[in-house]
Amino acid sequence: MRFGKTLRQSVYPPWKDQYIDYAKLKSILREDKPDDEDEPWTEEDENRFCDEIFNTQLEKVAKFQETKIEELRNRTDEAAEKLKHLNEQQQSEEGGEGDAAQEEGEEGKHEEVAVDKQKLKEMEAELDGITNEVKELQKYSNLNYTGFLKIVKKHDRKRGDRYKIRPMMQVNLSNRPFNSEQAYSPLLNKLSYMYFAIRRFEAPDAGDVLPIDPDSQPETHNGEKYTAHKFWVHPDNLLEVKTYILRRLPALVYSEQSAKEVDGQQDPTITSLYFDNAKFQLYSKKVEREAEASSLRLRWYGQLSARPEILLEQKLLHENGTSEERKFAIKEKYVKAFLDGEYKMEKSVQKMERKGQKAEDVEEFKGTADAIQEFVRDNKLEPLVRANYVRTAFQNPGDDRVRISIDTDIAFIREDTLDRDRPCRDPKDWHRADIDNSNMTNPFKNINQSEVSRFPYAVLEIKLKEDVNNKRGRPVWIQDLMGSHLVHPCPRFSKFVQGVASLFEDYVNRLPFWLSDLNTDIRKDPQRAFQEEEERRARRAENEQVVGSFLGTKLSSYKPSRSSPAAKSYLADRMATDAAAAAASPKSGVTTSNQQQAVSTPAGDEAGESSQSQPLIPRENREINYGTLSSVLPGFSLSKYSRAKRAREAGITSLPPGVTEPKEWIKNSGPLQIEPKVWLANERTFLKWQHICVLLGGLAISLYTASASSKGGNLLGEVMGMVFLGVAAFTGGWSWWVLRRRREMIVGRSGKDFDFVLGPMVVAGALGVALVVNFGIAYQQAFEKHWGGDGGHHGNRSGVDMGDLR
């Protein structure tokens, strides 16, 4: 399906005028016209297209997204205030419950409870509306993000010989909150805490745990629940990350069979073969995060020629956000038959029965095999993309509470048969024999490089059992690693999605949110990474304090470090202010409740000063605070990074002592080194032009000499000889000027084009005009000579004839 049709079908009606005008951009680009019928694309056309896409469409979408996310934040805060007021009302009613029960009886009590449930339902409906709109805004961002990348790709493919704007668009998108998880995670996290509070109001003894951090993903393996955290690691930081982990966890030693490699290395190479259909339905569901989204893959260690164990795995994503994995082992010779539905794992079932395994395990195995086979048949799945990578795993022997893996040298390879004329894989086979039969390894130089995509970073995955440190905690060193500058969070990264997005961009109409991060440098300054992590922890602690104020309990034990910017944040200041108020109040119980509730309100709602005596800003004169003060009022920050940013915005550039502003480009510095072939190419072009000059000059002199020496002279020949001589002179002078000009450009390291089209056009045009004029004059002379012998007679006859005609 074309993206334009997908865009029309996916538009959210209330926002239909705020989407990218894809049809208008295609019209400006003249996408509907064939290349051979297309008019010349001028610089004015290019400026018009760039102005429309960058200054009109991109600005429109970005402004709407920013406005809408701010509106949703305000609505979330208002809902939090209502929920807090509902909690206060319930507490006041519970305080007078004993007297009310004696005066009005049990009937009045049940009526009050019914009223509370009705208010809770209304509050939950309001949260549902906000949540649904947040999801629509996420789809809106993703759809527009994909649209911008699609249209600039069309531009570069059609006009890329002179203009390329895709890199510029990628930079612009990476600097905006398009398709970014960071724009929505804090808001969704706060909504999840409010849902948690409502559930506890409805069922106080439900025993729910706090919501999972949106930067993680719950998974289930062998009945055990884990929380998975995914990160990217830059190659420059990879060794440091590995050594940091090795100080705490040993490297996992694989079995001899799985670790067998050609070069004898311990870390095994893993191949994952992902399935999908021609419509990319599994990919689309996974990108759009639809409920019950699934993926299917075949996975094995080492080379397939070594006959390793092959695992067929299906990963299910449930509606509540958790994932589950089903898998079983299958032999290579049965894979094709199983995928075609001709084999139902009968031999494996018989083997299990012969070994005396439990009937429940046998039935579970049969159920898993049948479910996966039905899944393949119903969705018409076939191998689509291959992921090849080297895995290093870390885990304590016999202790699976903390599992860490690092995947490096990740390469994605097309495995599809979408092009029936030139399929990447033999349609009669389930894998690429040209790769597996020849034991081909990374970098896969013997296959078409357009079928390979290499991922630039390593992927770090940390899996923590839910019961680690009382179900919510995590080891301190894990927490430090996850918040360090060495890793870049990418919570929902998927190799399957990345492989499809990088190799089949023309086939899909949705792109994952992390693609914009691939165009930026993920390396961070350590101090900046520390500040961002402290602010993130402060926001999480704030949300937990909000729920604690609703429930009258303390859920967060977060204490910002003294060197952290969060130590001067709203959360720390409010906690210090409320602690002082609690110590001064005689009603400690009531004050503690108010203290916990006050943490959930923005700074400045109550009178009071922080421990640093910072002035409180009126609520109507500032933005809603979602974390630290510096995140809302960056002008208050005195860090060197903030000062440098303010200086850049003000146009003030301060250089260190002894450093002067450079006067020439870096590319022009250093000794001049030019390859001989560049000089020779310039001289070779000059000699070609001189050859043409000599030919034209010889022709001109011969023509002039022959015409002048002929009996009676030949004026036409003499004139044409002079014309050709002038063209020859121009050719010689032009070639000499071009030689000198190009030499100056080479020495000056100019980035301009070396094309000079005026000279060839003048020479070709002059020769063409001369030949046409020569032919015309010669034809006229021949005509007069043929009819000129009896000119009068013919002229009179012609006149009579013309008169008769008149």
Side-chain angles (χ1 to χ4, degrees):
M1 184 185 297
R2 294 183 177 273
F3 178 76
K5 185 176 180 180
T6 301
L7 179 62
R8 291 192 297 271
Q9 293 178 351
S10 305
V11 164
Y12 184 52
W15 305 342
K16 61 180 180 179
D17 297 330
Q18 303 300 329
Y19 286 80
I20 177 177
D21 197 340
Y22 196 73
K24 182 178 181 180
L25 291 173
K26 287 180 63 177
S27 175
I28 297 176
L29 192 57
R30 304 174 194 162
E31 181 66 18
D32 54 342
K33 295 183 179 181
D35 294 338
D36 54 352
E37 299 180 3
D38 199 3
E39 300 177 5
W41 184 259
T42 64
E43 187 172 352
E44 182 179 354
D45 296 328
E46 181 68 18
N47 291 336
R48 181 189 173 197
F49 179 81
C50 291
D51 180 70
E52 179 67 26
I53 193 172
F54 287 106
N55 299 334
T56 303
Q57 300 296 328
L58 186 58
E59 287 299 325
K60 175 184 73 174
V61 173
K63 184 177 180 180
F64 177 79
Q65 195 268 353
E66 294 172 2
T67 304
K68 204 65 184 177
I69 197 70
E70 185 63 27
E71 176 187 334
L72 291 172
R73 286 173 180 168
N74 294 336
R75 289 175 59 185
T76 303
D77 283 343
E78 292 174 0
E81 291 292 331
K82 293 180 181 178
L83 192 57
K84 185 185 70 172
H85 178 71
L86 182 62
N87 177 54
E88 294 174 350
Q89 182 180 1
Q90 183 177 2
Q91 288 181 351
S92 62
E93 291 175 354
E94 290 176 354
E97 181 179 335
D99 297 336
Q102 293 178 1
E103 295 176 1
E104 300 180 4
E106 294 296 330
E107 183 177 354
K109 178 180 176 181
H110 290 301
E111 185 177 347
E112 290 177 1
V113 174
V115 172
D116 290 341
K117 286 185 177 181
Q118 180 63 28
K119 291 181 179 179
L120 288 175
K121 288 183 179 179
E122 294 176 357
M123 178 61 62
E124 190 170 3
E126 186 173 350
L127 293 182
D128 289 340
I130 298 175
T131 304
N132 292 334
E133 199 150 330
V134 171
K135 292 180 179 179
E136 290 295 338
L137 189 60
Q138 283 183 308
K139 294 179 181 178
Y140 169 88
S141 298
N142 179 267
L143 202 61
N144 285 282
Y145 175 85
T146 305
F148 283 116
L149 290 183
K150 289 278 187 181
I151 196 65
V152 296
K153 185 176 182 180
K154 288 180 180 292
H155 170 277
D156 289 359
R157 184 170 53 215
K158 195 174 182 69
R159 314 296 178 189
D161 54 339
R162 295 182 60 188
Y163 309 98
K164 288 187 180 294
I165 63 174
R166 184 180 174 92
M168 188 189 308
M169 176 58 70
Q170 290 174 331
V171 171
N172 276 270
L173 291 177
S174 64
N175 293 332
R176 298 176 182 272
F178 279 111
N179 221 20
S180 173
E181 193 75 16
Q182 303 303 322
Y184 304 99
S185 289
L187 187 57
L188 291 173
N189 197 17
K190 189 164 188 175
L191 287 169
S192 66
Y193 276 100
M194 295 171 67
Y195 275 116
F196 170 77
I198 290 177
R199 288 196 301 269
R200 291 298 300 270
F201 274 136
E202 295 175 345
D205 300 328
D208 294 347
V209 296
L210 286 175
I212 298 296
D213 192 335
D215 292 338
S216 64
Q217 182 174 349
E219 296 183 357
T220 302
H221 298 280
N222 299 325
E224 300 287 349
K225 294 184 178 180
Y226 290 85
T227 302
H229 306 262
K230 295 182 180 180
F231 305 87
W232 293 347
V233 182
H234 194 278
D236 294 350
N237 299 329
L238 184 58
L239 181 60
E240 188 173 354
V241 171
K242 285 186 176 181
T243 54
Y244 179 87
I245 298 173
L246 280 171
R247 294 190 185 100
R248 283 88 181 173
L249 287 179
L252 180 64
V253 179
Y254 288 83
S255 64
E256 182 179 355
Q257 180 181 1
S258 63
K260 188 185 298 181
E261 290 290 307
V262 176
D263 56 356
Q265 66 178 9
Q266 182 178 350
D267 295 336
T269 298
I270 300 179
T271 301
S272 294
L273 202 59
Y274 293 98
F275 288 70
D276 208 339
N277 53 34
K279 296 182 179 179
F280 295 88
Q281 291 178 336
L282 300 189
Y283 167 85
S284 300
K285 290 181 179 180
K286 200 167 183 67
V287 172
E288 296 172 10
R289 303 178 190 175
E290 294 185 6
E292 303 301 328
S294 301
S295 61
L296 184 69
R297 69 176 179 179
L298 285 165
R299 180 169 59 91
W300 65 87
Y301 291 87
Q303 296 294 340
L304 193 61
S305 59
R307 299 187 179 279
E309 182 183 52
I310 301 177
L311 295 176
L312 183 58
E313 302 174 336
Q314 180 188 14
K315 191 171 185 179
L316 302 172
L317 181 62
H318 299 298
E319 191 172 0
N320 58 2
T322 61
S323 64
E324 179 185 357
E325 193 173 66
R326 301 172 181 173
K327 62 181 178 180
F328 62 88
I330 184 173
K331 292 184 178 181
E332 178 186 352
K333 59 182 178 181
Y334 297 133
V335 173
K336 180 62 175 175
F338 179 83
L339 296 177
D340 293 340
E342 300 172 357
Y343 175 67
K344 298 184 177 296
M345 304 301 295
E346 295 91 347
K347 294 188 177 182
S348 298
V349 173
Q350 294 172 5
K351 186 176 180 180
M352 294 175 66
E353 292 175 346
R354 286 197 305 268
K355 289 184 176 180
Q357 295 191 16
K358 296 180 180 180
E360 296 83 0
D361 296 338
V362 176
E363 289 299 323
E364 182 181 358
F365 176 84
K366 291 173 61 177
T368 301
D370 292 342
I372 293 179
Q373 195 170 54
E374 183 180 359
F375 180 68
V376 173
R377 182 181 64 254
D378 293 344
N379 292 278
K380 300 179 181 179
L381 302 180
E382 61 179 17
L384 191 73
V385 64
R386 172 189 299 231
N388 184 273
Y389 49 93
V390 177
R391 169 161 293 182
T392 306
F394 306 88
Q395 180 180 331
N396 277 323
D399 185 359
D400 60 350
R401 292 179 299 174
V402 179
R403 301 164 58 185
I404 300 179
S405 64
I406 300 179
D407 297 334
T408 55
D409 299 333
I410 303 175
F412 302 101
I413 306 172
R414 290 185 59 165
E415 199 91 10
D416 63 283
T417 58
L418 297 178
D419 188 350
R420 297 299 179 182
D421 297 330
R422 293 183 298 175
C424 299
R425 166 182 53 83
D426 184 359
K428 298 180 181 179
D429 205 347
W430 63 272
H431 66 102
R432 289 187 62 160
D434 58 335
I435 296 178
D436 295 324
N437 292 350
S438 60
N439 293 333
M440 198 182 302
T441 58
N442 204 325
F444 302 98
K445 295 182 178 179
N446 296 332
I447 61 176
N448 190 345
Q449 293 303 296
S450 64
E451 300 173 358
V452 183
S453 174
R454 295 172 179 84
F455 192 68
Y457 306 125
V459 177
L460 169 68
E461 184 173 12
I462 302 174
K463 293 184 178 180
L464 305 174
K465 239 181 185 178
E466 284 195 357
D467 60 348
V468 176
N469 291 348
N470 297 326
K471 298 185 178 181
R472 286 313 306 264
R474 60 183 63 146
V476 176
W477 67 273
I478 290 284
Q479 193 167 340
D480 293 340
L481 175 62
M482 293 168 60
S484 71
H485 68 286
L486 301 175
V487 297
H488 177 78
C490 193
R492 300 183 183 276
F493 177 77
S494 166
K495 295 186 184 70
F496 166 55
V497 173
Q498 174 62 31
V500 173
S502 59
L503 292 173
F504 301 92
E505 186 176 347
D506 292 336
Y507 291 85
V508 297
N509 294 326
R510 288 286 196 278
L511 297 175
F513 67 87
W514 60 75
L515 285 186
S516 58
D517 292 338
L518 289 175
N519 304 305
T520 60
D521 190 355
I522 64 172
R523 290 171 294 184
K524 303 176 184 177
D525 178 81
Q527 178 64 23
R528 179 183 175 185
F530 171 72
Q531 293 177 354
E532 292 177 352
E533 177 63 14
E534 285 294 313
E535 292 172 1
R536 190 189 69 82
R537 294 180 184 178
R539 287 195 300 268
R540 180 175 176 178
E542 177 187 355
N543 291 336
E544 293 181 356
Q545 287 286 354
V546 169
V547 179
S549 67
F550 295 156
L551 305 178
T553 58
K554 183 178 181 181
L555 300 177
S556 175
S557 58
Y558 168 73
K559 294 181 180 180
S561 60
R562 298 181 62 181
S563 60
S564 166
K568 307 300 180 186
S569 69
Y570 146 72
L571 178 62
D573 293 340
R574 292 308 306 162
M575 292 176 67
T577 302
D578 294 334
S585 175
K587 299 181 180 179
S588 58
V590 176
T591 306
T592 302
S593 176
N594 293 335
Q595 168 195 345
Q596 293 166 344
Q597 294 172 6
V599 177
S600 65
T601 60
D605 287 354
E606 299 179 277
E609 295 182 355
S610 67
S611 57
Q612 301 297 327
S613 300
Q614 294 181 352
L616 297 178
I617 303 173
R619 182 184 182 94
E620 61 273 9
N621 295 336
R622 60 168 177 78
E623 298 180 354
I624 301 298
N625 195 325
Y626 266 80
T628 63
L629 181 62
S630 60
S631 66
V632 180
L633 300 174
F636 278 36
S637 177
L638 300 178
S639 68
K640 62 179 182 180
Y641 303 100
S642 300
R643 292 197 300 268
K645 181 178 180 181
R646 290 195 293 269
R648 287 195 303 269
E649 292 175 351
I652 303 174
T653 304
S654 59
L655 297 176
V659 179
T660 58
E661 185 177 357
K663 301 299 182 182
E664 77 174 323
W665 295 95
I666 295 178
K667 70 180 183 66
N668 295 337
S669 60
L672 180 64
Q673 296 180 354
I674 302 175
E675 295 184 6
K677 64 180 182 181
V678 178
W679 292 102
L680 296 177
N682 191 25
E683 293 181 1
R684 185 164 56 250
T685 305
F686 171 71
L687 294 176
K688 288 287 186 181
W689 277 102
Q690 290 298 313
H691 180 64
I692 297 174
C693 175
V694 171
L695 290 177
L696 291 176
L699 175 63
I701 294 174
S702 300
L703 183 61
Y704 182 83
T705 303
S707 300
S709 61
S710 63
K711 185 178 180 180
N714 187 349
L715 182 60
L716 176 60
E718 293 178 4
V719 172
M720 294 307 302
M722 295 298 295
V723 170
F724 283 123
L725 186 61
V727 174
F730 173 80
T731 303
W734 169 261
S735 62
W736 175 253
W737 180 84
V738 169
L739 174 70
R740 304 297 301 175
R741 178 60 179 159
R742 285 177 176 163
R743 183 182 183 280
E744 293 175 359
M745 294 174 67
I746 293 172
V747 174
R749 298 167 176 171
S750 173
K752 299 180 180 178
D753 292 336
F754 285 86
D755 298 334
F756 297 96
V757 297
L758 178 63
M761 293 178 63
V762 170
V763 173
L767 291 176
V769 170
L771 291 175
V772 171
V773 172
N774 184 20
F775 175 79
I777 296 176
Y779 179 82
Q780 182 180 8
Q781 291 178 352
F783 182 83
E784 292 177 353
K785 182 178 179 181
H786 180 72
W787 297 98
D790 193 9
H793 175 72
H794 287 288
N796 292 336
R797 186 178 66 178
S798 176
V800 172
D801 292 341
M802 293 300 294
D804 293 340
L805 288 174
R806 290 194 293 269

